[in-house]
């Protein structure tokens, strides 16, 4: 229904076909009226048939007009392309026919580059345009003939034949231009080669000759020494040889300049001017060379007379200068002496040196006389040279300065030796003072060490008697300290005076310090050992007789008297006491008495071992059994039982440290006395 209504509306509105049927009637009628339908359809046919005829007519007209328009466009394009191509040929041909030669190779090469650009860039597109123009002309004529149109006739002078004729003239001019360019470039290459060769040789010669005129005009020989004048003469002879060698180059330069003139080189004026300058300079160099040789030879003869005087001066001044330098070194030499005799020896040598000074002064005056003779000759003959003695670097000023210095150093040296003599007397007094005290203190320290050693090894008295005696020794040692301090002060004075040896004593301050520190350490360690022995005796219940027995055994087997037994001595001691020692058992005992594996057994370790072997010591099992009695055979103990059975402070100690009982049958507040007891003896982790 939508399609039918749309078709009826468009037909009525745009095709002038009135609405003849309703869409509802056609759809709702089982068999619509065929005639009405055919009538409606025929109206559509007639409407479309009329429109098709009009369209066909319009298409035919458009086709004819299109052909004409296309032909006219091709004609216009031909005319335009032909005009542009002919115009380009007319512009290009005169450029190719121009044979005006350039003067330089660069300009001719630029022309060659322009021609190559023309052949490479400008002409190929024009060749393409010419070809396209011929193709367009033939295509246009064919289209006109097919469409029954008259043939195309271009404007006058724009025929294909006209263009071909003009193109042929262009090719002819192009070929002649290229041949001319190559010929002209070869000619300029020859000229440029000759000009470059001229410039190269001229530059080489000018570089060589640069400054030569100034050098030959110098009068450096007037202020030169004899050696320098001789060197200048040898140098001038070498220059004369070099000058002769350059004659050939100058002739070559003139020949090349002549050839450039003959070939009409464009820069021949500059070449001629440069060639003339070179020739003029060459003649000038020859004249100056001869004059310089004569002047240098004359100066050489004048200076030879002075040379002999310089040689004599050098032969006499060198030994004298060496003597003065040695004397200054000796007079300024730092002396290191340690005795009065050494200072006296230096003073005696200095007196002997003073006796040689008059003779040295006579030699000095003779050397200065030679120098004065040289100055007299120089002034008489008007020699301007700065006369230097090449045989010697020594000048009279240096000789005078060194002589003055020697005279000043003599009394200075004498004063220094006297001061050193006084200082050595002072040092000797300090040595004797230190030696007197050191010879007393050293033996005193050794005596105290022996007394302490004999006291610690005594067997007869009690430990308290030994302690009393050691305390007295300690008091004596402390009160002796001022003597050590005084010796330190004397040693400080000696060090400040840089005295390092002392023949009056074998003791050094380092020996005294080490001995004193060892004495203090020994008395403190010995007192500590006696105190420890007293504590061990009281704790283990050892009688005085047992202590004496232990000390006697220890002293007996301490064969090296070091205050400690080595491994072999300790093994012999154990065997003497009846121990049956295997290697394992002895190793176990050594672990007890020497846990640090030093290989030595001290007296305190020996006492600990002996008391551990002989005394009735408590064990962890005994303590556990005692707690079990207090706990009435229970595996745990209560707080009330501890407070009832033990003193208050010990009961609180156990309550704070005893862990809770975690075994079966324990009541609230039960404590584990087994773990506590094993912890006391280091047998648990508590």
């Amino acid at each position: 229904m939508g399609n039918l209504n749309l078709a009826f509306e468009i037909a009525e509105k745009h095709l002038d076909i009135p609405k003849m049927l309703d869409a509802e009637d056609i759809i709702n009628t089982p068999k619509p009226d065929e005639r009405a339908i055919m009538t409606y359809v025929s109206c559509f046919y007639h409407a479309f048939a009329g429109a098709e005829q009009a369209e066909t007519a319009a298409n035919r007209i458009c086709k004819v007009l299109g052909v004409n328009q296309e032909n006219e466009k091709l004609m216009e394009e031909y005319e335009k392309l032909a005009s542009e191509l002919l115009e380009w040929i007319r512009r290009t041909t005169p450029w190719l026919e121009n044979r005006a030669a350039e003067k330089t190779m660069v300009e001719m090469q630029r022309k060659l580059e322009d021609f190559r650009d023309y052949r490479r860039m400008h002409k190929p597109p024009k060749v393409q345009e010419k070809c396209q123009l011929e193709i367009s002309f033939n295509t246009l004529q064919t289209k006109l003939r097919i469409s029954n149109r008259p043939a195309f006739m271009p404007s006058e002078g724009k025929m294909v034949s006209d263009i071909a004729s003009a193109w042929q003239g262009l090719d002819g001019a192009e070929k002649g231009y290229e041949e001319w360019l190559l010929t002209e470039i070869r000619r300029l290459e020859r000229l440029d080669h000759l000009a470059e060769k001229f410039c190269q040789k001229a530059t080489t010669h000018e570089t060589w000759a640069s400054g030569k005129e100034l050098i030959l005009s110098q009068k450096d020989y007037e202020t030169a020494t004899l050696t320098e004048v001789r060197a200048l003469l040898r140098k001038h002879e070498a220059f004369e040889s070099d000058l002769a060698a350059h004659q050939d180059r100058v002739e070559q330069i003139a020949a090349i300049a002549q050839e450039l003139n003959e070939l009409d080189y464009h820069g021949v004026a500059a070449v001629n001017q440069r060639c003339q300058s070179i020739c003029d300079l060459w003649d000038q160099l020859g004249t100056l060379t001869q004059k310089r040789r004569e002047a240098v030879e004359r100066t050489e003869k004048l200076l030879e007379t002075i040379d002999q005087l310089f040689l004599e001066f050098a032969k006499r001044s060198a030994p004298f200068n060496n003597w003065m330098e040695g004397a200054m070194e000796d007079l300024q030499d730092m002396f290191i002496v340690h005795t009065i005799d050494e200072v006296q020896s230096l003073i005696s040598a200095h007196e002997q040196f003073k006796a040689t000074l008059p003779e040295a002064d006579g030699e000095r005056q003779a050397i200065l006389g030679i120098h004065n003779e040289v100055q007299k000759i120089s002034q008489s003959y008007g020699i301007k040279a700065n006369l230097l003695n090449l045989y010697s670097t020594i000048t009279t000023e240096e000789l005078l300065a060194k002589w003055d210095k020697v005279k000043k150093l003599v009394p200075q040296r004498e004063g220094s030796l006297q001061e050193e003599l006084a200082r050595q007397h002072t040092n000797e007094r300090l040595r004797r003072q230190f030696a007197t005290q050191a010879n007393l203190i050293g033996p005193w320290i050794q005596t105290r060490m022996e007394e302490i050693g004999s006291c610690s090894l005594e067997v007869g008295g009690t430990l308290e008697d030994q302690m009393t005696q050691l305390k007295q020794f300690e008091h004596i040692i402390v009160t002796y300290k001022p003597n050590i301090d005084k010796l330190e002060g004397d040693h400080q004075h000696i060090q400040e005076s840089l005295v390092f040896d002392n023949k009056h004593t074998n003791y050094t301050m380092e020996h005294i310090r080490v001995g004193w520190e060892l004495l203090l350490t020994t008395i403190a360690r010995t007192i500590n050992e006696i105190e420890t022995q007293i504590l061990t005796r009281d704790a283990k219940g050892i009688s005085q007789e047992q202590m004496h027995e232990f000390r006697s055994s220890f002293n007996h087997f301490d064969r090296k008297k070091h205050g400690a037994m080595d491994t072999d001595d300790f093994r012999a001691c154990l065997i003497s006491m009846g121990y049956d020692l295997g290697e394992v058992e002895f190793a176990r005992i050594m672990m007890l008495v020497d846990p640090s594996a030093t290989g030595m057994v001290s007296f305190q370790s020996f006492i600990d071992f002996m008391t551990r072997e002989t005394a009735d010591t408590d064990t962890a099992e005994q303590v556990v059994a005692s707690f079990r009695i207090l706990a009435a055979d229970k595996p745990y103990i209560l707080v009330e039982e501890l407070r009832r059975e033990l003193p208050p402070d010990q009961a609180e100690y156990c309550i704070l440290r005893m862990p809770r009982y975690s075994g079966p049958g324990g009541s609230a507040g039960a404590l584990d006395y087994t773990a506590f007891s094993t912890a006391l003896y280091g047998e648990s982790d508590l």
Side-chain angles (χ1 to χ4, degrees), residues 289-426:
T289 299
Q290 182 62 29
K291 290 182 178 179
R292 181 172 176 83
R293 165 176 277 279
E294 295 172 356
V296 173
E297 288 177 346
R298 183 173 58 254
T299 304
E300 180 186 17
K301 294 178 181 179
L302 290 174
L303 294 176
E304 285 180 346
T305 305
I306 299 175
D307 184 65
Q308 293 299 321
L309 291 173
F310 276 154
L311 181 59
E312 184 179 357
F313 178 88
K315 289 180 178 179
R316 299 187 67 173
S317 63
F320 183 69
N321 182 69
N322 186 54
W323 176 86
M324 287 195 296
E325 289 181 347
M328 287 189 292
E329 289 179 3
D330 294 339
L331 292 172
Q332 297 178 95
D333 186 24
M334 292 182 61
F335 47 82
I336 300 176
V337 294
H338 304 286
T339 65
I340 296 174
D341 293 339
E342 292 177 351
V343 178
Q344 292 289 358
S345 176
L346 291 176
I347 292 174
S348 177
H350 183 69
E351 292 298 328
Q352 293 176 5
F353 170 76
K354 288 168 62 177
T356 64
L357 290 178
E359 182 182 355
D361 186 51
E363 180 65 14
R364 177 186 66 86
Q365 293 178 3
I367 294 172
L368 292 178
I370 297 174
H371 173 74
N372 294 333
E373 184 66 20
V374 171
Q375 295 298 321
K376 182 179 179 181
I377 295 174
S378 175
Q379 294 173 3
S380 299
Y381 292 95
I383 298 175
K384 300 179 181 179
N386 183 16
L387 298 176
L388 296 176
N389 192 341
L390 299 180
Y391 300 107
S392 174
T393 59
I394 304 169
T395 64
T396 55
E397 291 77 10
E398 292 177 1
L399 293 176
L400 292 173
K402 290 179 180 178
W403 179 255
D404 292 340
K405 189 172 183 180
V406 168
K407 290 194 296 183
K408 291 180 181 179
L409 289 174
V410 169
Q412 293 178 6
R413 176 75 169 187
E414 190 169 357
S416 299
L417 291 174
Q418 293 299 327
E419 291 177 0
E420 182 63 23
L421 181 62
R423 192 176 70 85
Q424 287 300 325
H425 282 294
T426 302

Side-chain angles (χ1 to χ4, degrees), residues 78 81-83 85-86 89 130 133-134 157-168:
Y78 177 84
L81 289 174
S83 299
L85 183 58
L86 288 170
I89 292 172
K130 175 177 174 293
L133 194 64
E134 293 175 355
K158 297 182 181 178
M159 294 291 292
V160 173
S161 58
D162 297 332
I163 294 173
S165 177
W167 190 266
Q168 187 176 1

Side-chain angles (χ1 to χ4, degrees), residues 113-390:
E113 289 297 325
D114 294 342
F115 178 71
R116 288 173 178 170
D117 289 342
Y118 155 77
R119 293 287 296 272
R120 185 171 57 251
M121 299 170 59
H122 301 295
K123 186 178 179 181
K126 297 304 178 181
V127 173
Q128 185 67 28
E129 289 179 10
K130 175 177 174 293
C131 181
Q132 185 63 39
L133 194 64
E134 293 175 355
I135 293 172
S136 298
F137 181 80
N138 293 332
T139 301
L140 177 60
Q141 297 292 26
T142 300
K143 287 184 177 181
L144 290 173
R145 186 170 62 253
I146 292 173
S147 60
N148 296 320
R149 302 294 196 282
F152 170 62
M153 184 61 65
S155 302
E156 184 178 358
K158 297 182 181 178
M159 294 291 292
V160 173
S161 58
D162 297 332
I163 294 173
S165 177
W167 190 266
Q168 187 176 1
L170 178 69
D171 286 341
E174 178 182 321
K175 182 177 180 182
Y177 187 73
E178 184 176 12
E179 292 175 354
W180 172 77
L181 275 177
L182 295 175
T183 301
E184 189 65 21
I185 285 174
R186 282 193 291 271
R187 185 184 71 84
L188 289 177
E189 281 181 346
R190 170 63 180 166
L191 284 175
D192 285 349
H193 173 71
L194 286 174
E196 180 65 25
K197 187 176 181 181
F198 175 83
C199 289
Q200 183 178 1
K201 287 184 175 295
T203 301
T204 301
H205 179 77
E206 288 168 349
T207 301
W208 172 84
S210 177
K212 295 293 189 298
E213 185 177 7
L214 179 61
I215 292 174
L216 291 172
S217 300
Q218 288 178 348
K219 296 184 179 181
D220 48 354
Y221 50 85
E222 293 182 350
T223 58
T225 63
L226 176 60
T227 304
E228 292 171 343
V229 167
R230 287 173 176 171
L232 288 175
L233 187 58
R234 302 291 89 78
K235 183 177 179 182
H236 187 73
E237 291 172 353
F239 174 76
E240 288 178 334
S241 300
D242 193 18
L243 185 69
H246 279 75
Q247 177 68 34
D248 185 55
R249 179 180 288 113
V250 174
E251 293 175 355
Q252 291 177 4
I253 291 172
I256 295 172
Q258 180 63 30
E259 187 175 358
L260 289 173
N261 277 275
E262 293 173 356
L263 294 175
D264 193 21
Y265 178 57
H266 65 88
V268 71
V271 170
N272 291 336
Q273 182 180 358
R274 192 172 184 183
C275 181
Q276 187 61 42
S277 298
I278 290 173
C279 292
D280 293 342
L281 179 60
W282 180 255
D283 295 338
Q284 180 68 15
L285 289 178
T287 302
L288 292 174
T289 299
Q290 182 62 29
K291 290 182 178 179
R292 181 172 176 83
R293 165 176 277 279
E294 295 172 356
V296 173
E297 288 177 346
R298 183 173 58 254
T299 304
E300 180 186 17
K301 294 178 181 179
L302 290 174
L303 294 176
E304 285 180 346
T305 305
I306 299 175
D307 184 65
Q308 293 299 321
L309 291 173
F310 276 154
L311 181 59
E312 184 179 357
F313 178 88
K315 289 180 178 179
R316 299 187 67 173
S317 63
F320 183 69
N321 182 69
N322 186 54
W323 176 86
M324 287 195 296
E325 289 181 347
M328 287 189 292
E329 289 179 3
D330 294 339
L331 292 172
Q332 297 178 95
D333 186 24
M334 292 182 61
F335 47 82
I336 300 176
V337 294
H338 304 286
T339 65
I340 296 174
D341 293 339
E342 292 177 351
V343 178
Q344 292 289 358
S345 176
L346 291 176
I347 292 174
S348 177
H350 183 69
E351 292 298 328
Q352 293 176 5
F353 170 76
K354 288 168 62 177
T356 64
L357 290 178
E359 182 182 355
D361 186 51
E363 180 65 14
R364 177 186 66 86
Q365 293 178 3
I367 294 172
L368 292 178
I370 297 174
H371 173 74
N372 294 333
E373 184 66 20
V374 171
Q375 295 298 321
K376 182 179 179 181
I377 295 174
S378 175
Q379 294 173 3
S380 299
Y381 292 95
I383 298 175
K384 300 179 181 179
N386 183 16
L387 298 176
L388 296 176
N389 192 341
L390 299 180

Side-chain angles (χ1 to χ4, degrees), residues 4 8 15 17-18 20-21 26 33-49:
L4 290 172
F8 294 160
L15 302 179
I17 300 175
M20 302 177 185
L21 297 172
I26 296 174
D33 185 2
E34 292 183 359
R35 291 183 179 180
I37 296 298
M38 291 301 294
T39 301
Y40 220 147
V41 171
S42 65
C43 290
F44 275 93
Y45 174 77
H46 289 298
F48 284 122

Side-chain angles (χ1 to χ4, degrees), residues 55 72 91-92 157 169 201 239 300 307-308 352 401 498 523 557-558 560-561 573 660-661 686:
E55 182 177 355
E72 289 177 359
R91 288 197 317 270
T92 306
K201 287 184 175 295
F239 174 76
E300 180 186 17
D307 184 65
Q308 293 299 321
Q352 293 176 5
L498 301 178
I523 187 63
F557 286 98
D558 180 14
K560 297 179 181 179
K561 305 304 177 183
C573 181
R660 298 291 180 182
Y661 178 74
L686 293 178

Side-chain angles (χ1 to χ4, degrees), residues 455 457-463 465-466 544 548 551-552:
C455 179
L457 296 177
E458 286 182 358
V459 178
T462 63
L463 293 176
D465 294 339
Q466 293 180 15
Q544 187 63 39
H548 289 167
R551 169 56 73 179
S552 298

Side-chain angles (χ1 to χ4, degrees), residues 497-517:
S497 299
L498 301 178
V499 177
F500 302 106
D501 59 339
N502 194 336
K503 66 180 180 179
H504 304 294
T505 180
N506 293 326
Y507 292 101
T508 65
M509 194 63 225
E510 187 63 27
H511 293 153
I512 299 298
R513 290 195 194 104
V514 172
W516 179 255
E517 292 171 359

